[in-house]
Amino acid sequence: MAESIRKAWTDQAGLRAGQAMVESRQAEAEGYRDLRLPSLTLQAQGIRTSEPMMAFGIKLNQARIGAADFNPLVLNHPDPIGAYGGSAVLQQPLYAGGRITAARRAGDYLALAEAASQERRKQETAQAVVEAYFGTQVAEQALLWVEDSRAWIQGLEDFVGARVEQGLMLESELQRLKAFHAQIEAQKAEVTKQVRSARSGLGLLTGTGPVEGPLATPLEPTDPAAPLPSGARGDLLAADLQAKAAGEGAKAARGNLLPEVGLELGAGTLHHSWSDKGNWTWAAVGVKWKVFSAPDRAKAKAARAQERAARDLRDFRQQQAEHEIRVAREGVLAAQARHAAAKESLAAATEAKRLREARHRAGLAPLIEVLDAEAAVQGARTLLLQSLFELRVSRAGLDLATGHPIEGVKP
């Protein structure tokens, strides 16, 4: 069982896609953290123009302005001039209304939430593996019991056939047995299909294709289900982190309505030739404030609503989890009671069949009573397998509801 669960965690394509989402969120969070860092922009350009203002400005930036350049004729009708150069600009945000800090925190919360959701998806996959694993064992045990019934009915058919040849029993009794035998053959075909489907489903969950070979973990639990306190559920942790991220998102939206302060440092050069050039630098601190922006105010209002929604959803999921724990615990108790009753039922049905078969062989009971007893045994076996499956699945469901590792398997 543990091997199947771990194989599903590593090989299943669905969980690999979930891990890629976690890595995507982590990369986004890293990007949000880098918002506090300065940005450097490099620019290179080449130009040739006869536009009067640009021609004068280019000469000025190249430090080539002379007295002749102020001649009105030259100013109004300059000759085409060429230049090449570049610039480097460093921009550093100093204050952005709290948006940078809020964005960084929101990104961290969302990355942690996605990781918690991935852990929850792993546990849900583990529960599905438990269902498929023990569902396969149920189908295989049913197939063994069908084979047992086939062998039994064949033996009884031989016995009745011999009695018919001796004239001690009616031919109709033998035909009744053959009809019952045909029903068992049909059951075998159906159960064989269930076994193959169950193994294929288990392979789908583990990402390995149809599972071959024996399944080592026994169907019947060897240890009683101990009551455990609630642990940390990934979905609840994710909901709490998403609510915190929504709160930071609301802070960032409010920051759009606050002033921004930034620092800019730059240097530029413009060449007429490699040695004939002009250089300059600048430094500036600026403040920008959207005193009124209807779209930003609407976004801030929407962000506050999203924050309330995330908090309410977190509270609802907590209430839902408490309900799931209560239901899961009741389910385990019911499954245990059903399993105990099924064991008693099978024991009683098996004994009744033995007694009726002995009476029939002694000529004291009709064949129909033996067949009824066999049908009762088959029903009791089905009830026992169903109860064992429900017990295993309900225990896994309780682990999932309380936040404990499914079947005690940890990554």
Side-chain angles (χ1 to χ4, degrees), residues 126-148:
Q127 185 192 31
V129 170
V130 167
E131 293 187 20
Y133 189 96
F134 291 118
T136 301
Q137 287 195 336
V138 165
E140 291 181 341
Q141 182 59 55
L143 183 59
L144 291 176
W145 278 342
V146 167
E147 292 288 356
D148 181 62

Side-chain angles (χ1 to χ4, degrees), residues 286-329:
V287 179
K288 181 175 70 174
W289 189 1
K290 291 182 182 179
V291 179
F292 177 78
S293 172
D296 286 340
R297 288 184 179 276
K299 290 178 181 178
K301 184 177 179 181
R304 290 194 297 270
Q306 291 174 355
E307 180 184 11
R308 292 194 302 271
R311 289 178 177 175
D312 290 341
L313 182 59
R314 176 193 59 192
D315 295 341
F316 174 74
R317 286 184 176 173
Q318 181 62 49
Q319 296 168 1
Q320 187 179 35
E322 294 171 357
H323 166 72
E324 290 172 355
I325 292 172
R326 291 192 295 268
V327 171
R329 285 176 174 158

Side-chain angles (χ1 to χ4, degrees), residues 175-188:
Q175 296 303 319
R176 179 176 291 172
L177 273 176
K178 289 183 177 180
F180 198 83
H181 195 164
Q183 293 175 9
I184 292 178
E185 292 293 343
Q187 290 178 12
K188 178 184 176 182

Side-chain angles (χ1 to χ4, degrees), residues 33-283:
R33 286 193 287 270
D34 291 342
L35 289 175
R36 68 186 186 277
L37 300 178
S39 62
L40 176 63
T41 304
L42 301 178
Q43 181 181 357
Q45 62 179 352
I47 188 172
R48 183 172 178 81
T49 182
S50 61
E51 196 272 327
M53 182 173 292
M54 290 187 64
F56 186 84
I58 288 173
K59 277 194 170 184
L60 184 62
N61 286 338
Q62 292 174 336
R64 294 196 302 126
I65 290 293
D69 293 309
F70 290 92
N71 184 332
L73 182 61
V74 175
L75 287 173
N76 291 326
H77 304 284
D79 293 330
I81 186 172
Y84 62 92
S87 63
V89 180
L90 183 70
Q91 294 175 315
Q92 172 67 59
L94 301 178
Y95 175 72
R99 285 180 298 167
I100 295 176
T101 300
R104 175 179 57 80
R105 290 175 179 170
D108 290 342
Y109 287 142
L110 289 175
L112 292 173
E114 191 63 41
S117 296
Q118 176 69 356
E119 289 304 314
R120 181 64 175 181
R121 289 191 289 267
K122 284 185 176 181
Q123 292 304 309
E124 289 172 348
T125 299
Q127 185 192 31
V129 170
V130 167
E131 293 187 20
Y133 189 96
F134 291 118
T136 301
Q137 287 195 336
V138 165
E140 291 181 341
Q141 182 59 55
L143 183 59
L144 291 176
W145 278 342
V146 167
E147 292 288 356
D148 181 62
S149 294
R150 286 180 71 245
W152 173 82
I153 197 68
Q154 185 62 57
L156 186 58
E157 192 174 328
D158 294 341
F159 171 77
V160 172
R163 288 299 182 93
V164 170
E165 290 178 358
Q166 295 170 5
L168 299 177
M169 296 187 72
L170 298 176
E171 177 67 23
S172 61
E173 298 293 282
L174 181 59
Q175 296 303 319
R176 179 176 291 172
L177 273 176
K178 289 183 177 180
F180 198 83
H181 195 164
Q183 293 175 9
I184 292 178
E185 292 293 343
Q187 290 178 12
K188 178 184 176 182
E190 177 63 24
V191 174
T192 300
K193 183 194 76 172
Q194 292 175 0
V195 169
R196 291 172 180 168
S197 297
R199 283 187 171 271
S200 178
L202 180 58
L204 175 64
L205 288 170
T206 57
T208 59
V211 175
E212 303 293 341
L215 303 180
T217 303
L219 177 59
E220 186 167 358
T222 56
D223 58 317
L228 297 173
S230 299
R233 283 181 45 159
D235 57 336
L236 298 183
L237 179 58
D240 182 59
L241 290 167
Q242 287 165 355
K244 292 179 179 179
E248 295 300 327
K251 292 179 182 178
R254 288 194 298 269
N256 288 328
L257 302 174
L258 297 176
E260 303 175 44
V261 181
L263 170 67
E264 181 175 295
L265 302 175
T269 182
L270 200 61
H271 293 245
H272 177 67
S273 64
W274 183 250
S275 59
D276 194 2
K277 62 182 178 179
N279 299 321
W280 64 93
T281 60
W282 73 92

Side-chain angles (χ1 to χ4, degrees), residues 127 225-226 325 328-329 332 393-404:
Q127 185 192 31
I325 292 172
R329 285 176 174 158
V332 170
V393 171
S394 64
R395 287 176 56 155
L398 180 57
D399 287 338
L400 184 67
T402 55
H404 290 93

